[in-house]
Amino acid sequence: MYELLRPVTNGLGIMVQELELHIKETGLAAISNLKRENIPAQFVESIQAVHKRFLEMIKNTLGNDQVFTKALDKACTAIVNHRHSPQEICRSPELLAKYADTLLKKSSRGLNESDIEDKLTQCIIVFRYIDDKDIFQKFYARMLAKRLIHGLSMSMDLEEGMINRLKQACGYEFTNKLHRMFTDMTVSEDLNTKFTDYCKQKSTDLGINFSIYVLTAGAWPLGQTLLSNFAIPQELEKSVNSFEQFYGGNFNGRKLTWLHHLCSGELKVNCLKKPYIVTMTTYQMTTLLMFNTYTSLQFQELLTNTQMAEKELTKTLQSLVEVKLLKQEPEGQITEKTVFVLNLEYSNKRTKFKISTAMQKETTQEIELTHRSVDDDRKLYLQAAIVRIMKARKALKHNILIQEVISQSRTRFTPTNSMIKKSIEALIDKQYIDRSSNADTYVYQA
């Protein structure tokens, strides 16, 4: 059929349309039957399989003709960005980021680095078809931050390789913050070495092994919303104060904000039948250290001594009761008078273990916060794009300005007309631009 229609003027038109429709229907069918378990992997690998199948067909059967390749690209874009209703959020960026996160974590079982490299390269094929690349960037940055802070990355070379692939696909601006996150990790290693030397010079014995990450506030997607009051335990005070003195002496004018909810430590438990070394969060560690002095404590006493938020302390205590290091009396809902007792009968086959925490898992609240953060970033991005265009052009008609903004934004997301109009109105209120006597034209205000 291809050989017959190719010499005919516009002969391939209908064939191209039919192929595009067929690919789209095949792809949508492939991603509509995803089972609950491991949906990100099923979603991405289904799209990759459809793309590979039809790309091979175009190469082997249709002479690798560019018109069919373009039809494949159009169909794949429609599949990846499909949503059942205009109001529905497209989940493709989130699912792709989660799939990449799974590959880059230490828990990628049965895969060697070469296999993971190949799968990450395949990820970029799906990534190129995503319209909302800024949503992918937000989710990817959050997951990268967790991998780096909690030491979950399988390999720093794999991490850097993925960032370089994203940079090739979208440019340096897209991956700028991701590169800065890597730089912070390297700088932190150097800072820890210098801090150790500083303690030796000052003959300061911290009494514990203490290491930190100093992270640039603007580069890491950690936010300040999770910060809460917290009384640093006496065992950590000396280390924290010493580091603040060291940092203040080397970097005058910089302010350190301690993110205790992201910290973790190893605690040696000596009061049980045999000694255990337990890795846990700073909140869990602070709570357990209270039982060095008391064998049982009321919730209100713990609240007063740790100065943690009630919700945070409740979560922390529940996690310690779940692993049976503490006993709750009475069981059920925690109140001010609920008593917590150290479980002296605790036993575990492992002498070294980790208490898992929900902090490292993506919660529904975090997903909502990520989407909200994307919306805020888009407003600022559109306003900046409009100002750049108007500064260069001085005066522009409404429709031309809309087209220019869409053209500039396309590499990150596709803005709607209403989003652009709201940004224009905001800039008129801020007196960056104004309407000319011709109501359809905007003028830049220098």
Side-chain angles (χ1 to χ4, degrees):
M1 182 71 79
Y2 171 69
E3 293 297 335
L4 285 170
L5 291 173
R6 189 173 56 160
V8 180
T9 307
N10 299 324
L12 294 173
I14 292 173
M15 196 174 175
V16 169
Q17 285 174 19
E18 287 299 318
L19 179 66
E20 184 183 327
L21 185 62
H22 177 60
I23 296 170
K24 185 179 172 182
E25 286 172 352
T26 306
L28 290 176
I31 63 171
S32 64
N33 299 318
L34 303 180
K35 294 172 185 173
R36 288 198 172 187
E37 285 183 22
N38 205 5
I39 286 177
Q42 291 178 56
F43 174 79
V44 176
E45 287 168 9
S46 296
I47 291 170
Q48 287 170 350
V50 169
H51 181 271
K52 184 181 178 184
R53 174 187 157 192
F54 286 102
L55 186 65
E56 283 177 359
M57 189 191 84
I58 290 165
K59 282 180 180 176
N60 300 331
T61 313
L62 302 171
N64 206 17
D65 199 315
Q66 286 301 303
V67 291
F68 292 107
T69 308
K70 283 178 184 174
L72 172 63
D73 289 341
K74 272 188 185 178
C76 287
T77 302
I79 297 162
V80 170
N81 298 292
H82 177 73
R83 55 188 89 190
H84 296 290
S85 68
Q87 290 77 31
E88 192 180 77
I89 294 170
C90 179
R91 290 196 64 207
S92 302
E94 179 193 339
L95 293 173
L96 181 61
K98 284 181 176 177
Y99 178 66
D101 181 54
T102 307
L103 292 174
L104 290 162
K105 272 183 181 171
K106 282 177 182 172
S107 57
S108 292
R109 291 172 189 166
L111 294 173
N112 58 38
E113 283 202 23
S114 176
D115 294 334
I116 294 171
E117 284 274 7
D118 293 341
K119 284 181 177 289
L120 290 172
T121 303
Q122 292 297 309
C123 280
I124 298 299
I125 293 171
V126 180
F127 172 74
R128 288 181 189 277
Y129 292 125
I130 289 175
D131 283 342
D132 299 324
K133 290 182 172 64
D134 55 341
I135 295 179
F136 170 86
Q137 182 197 39
K138 279 284 179 196
F139 276 104
Y140 188 86
R142 279 185 184 276
M143 291 169 192
L144 173 63
K146 287 183 181 181
R147 290 197 299 274
L148 293 177
I149 290 168
H150 298 296
L152 299 173
S153 289
M154 184 175 182
S155 156
M156 294 305 268
D157 290 338
L158 285 174
E159 293 281 9
E160 208 158 356
M162 183 59 181
I163 291 172
N164 287 331
R165 290 185 187 92
L166 293 171
K167 183 179 170 183
Q168 285 173 0
C170 280
Y172 178 72
E173 188 188 344
F174 187 83
T175 56
N176 183 21
K177 287 184 178 180
L178 304 180
H179 280 296
R180 280 166 65 192
M181 286 160 73
F182 264 87
T183 305
D184 283 348
M185 299 304 282
T186 311
V187 170
S188 292
E189 281 179 30
D190 187 42
L191 270 176
N192 279 313
T193 307
K194 286 178 179 175
F195 179 56
T196 305
D197 294 340
Y198 167 84
C199 289
K200 284 177 184 174
Q201 287 169 11
K202 297 277 183 181
S203 302
T204 306
D205 181 17
L206 300 177
I208 58 169
N209 290 327
F210 182 79
S211 65
I212 49 81
Y213 294 130
V214 178
L215 314 176
T216 311
W220 292 74
L222 304 172
Q224 304 292 309
T225 51
L226 293 169
L227 294 181
S228 62
N229 291 331
F230 175 63
I232 297 166
Q234 196 177 345
E235 291 83 355
L236 289 175
E237 269 184 9
K238 191 175 182 181
S239 302
V240 169
N241 292 336
S242 296
F243 185 79
E244 284 181 342
Q245 286 168 15
F246 158 75
Y247 194 79
N250 283 276
F251 303 97
N252 190 25
R254 289 193 191 176
K255 185 190 172 188
L256 285 175
T257 303
W258 292 90
L259 303 175
H260 295 294
H261 63 284
L262 295 174
C263 299
S264 63
E266 282 188 353
L267 191 67
K268 190 170 185 182
V269 184
N270 293 315
C271 57
L272 305 175
K273 291 176 182 176
K274 58 182 176 182
Y276 295 97
I277 295 172
V278 191
T279 304
M280 58 183 73
T281 67
T282 306
Y283 288 161
Q284 289 167 335
M285 188 165 59
T286 302
T287 306
L288 277 183
L289 284 170
M290 293 289 297
F291 291 89
N292 270 338
T293 314
Y294 309 97
T295 53
S296 68
L297 283 161
Q298 278 192 352
F299 179 78
Q300 188 57 49
E301 291 173 314
L302 286 164
L303 199 62
T304 305
N305 284 293
T306 61
Q307 291 179 27
M308 285 161 61
E310 194 172 319
K311 189 178 176 184
E312 198 61 58
L313 180 59
T314 303
K315 260 189 345 189
T316 303
L317 287 165
Q318 283 171 341
S319 67
L320 293 171
V321 169
E322 273 176 29
V323 296
K324 298 179 180 176
L325 279 169
L326 292 181
K327 290 192 279 188
Q328 180 184 330
E329 299 172 359
E331 293 180 1
Q333 191 173 349
I334 294 173
T335 65
E336 285 184 8
K337 293 186 178 179
T338 302
V339 176
F340 294 90
V341 183
L342 190 63
N343 182 12
L344 297 172
E345 301 301 313
Y346 180 82
S347 179
N348 195 324
K349 288 179 183 177
R350 294 181 178 179
T351 55
K352 192 172 183 179
F353 60 94
K354 182 178 183 178
I355 300 175
S356 62
T357 166
M359 204 72 219
Q360 292 171 20
K361 296 170 188 172
E362 195 82 22
T363 61
T364 310
Q365 187 187 6
E366 277 188 305
I367 292 168
E368 286 172 7
L369 279 171
T370 303
H371 282 291
R372 217 175 299 150
S373 174
V374 169
D375 290 340
D376 293 340
D377 286 353
R378 284 181 173 183
K379 287 171 191 172
L380 295 173
Y381 184 88
L382 288 175
Q383 288 179 26
I386 293 165
V387 169
R388 279 197 306 273
I389 293 163
M390 292 303 298
K391 192 174 182 180
R393 304 287 288 274
K394 303 303 179 193
L396 267 185
K397 286 188 177 292
H398 176 79
N399 288 342
I400 298 172
L401 178 59
I402 296 277
Q403 290 306 313
E404 289 263 5
V405 172
I406 291 172
S407 175
Q408 283 201 17
S409 308
R410 196 167 281 138
T411 53
R412 293 179 67 86
F413 67 100
T414 306
T416 61
N417 282 3
S418 65
M419 285 168 69
I420 300 170
K421 283 175 185 174
K422 283 177 185 175
S423 296
I424 291 169
E425 292 299 329
L427 289 171
I428 290 171
D429 291 342
K430 292 176 185 176
Q431 298 183 347
Y432 280 97
I433 60 174
D434 200 2
R435 289 187 177 87
S436 70
S437 52
N438 177 357
D440 194 33
T441 304
Y442 301 107
V443 180
Y444 178 67
Q445 300 290 301

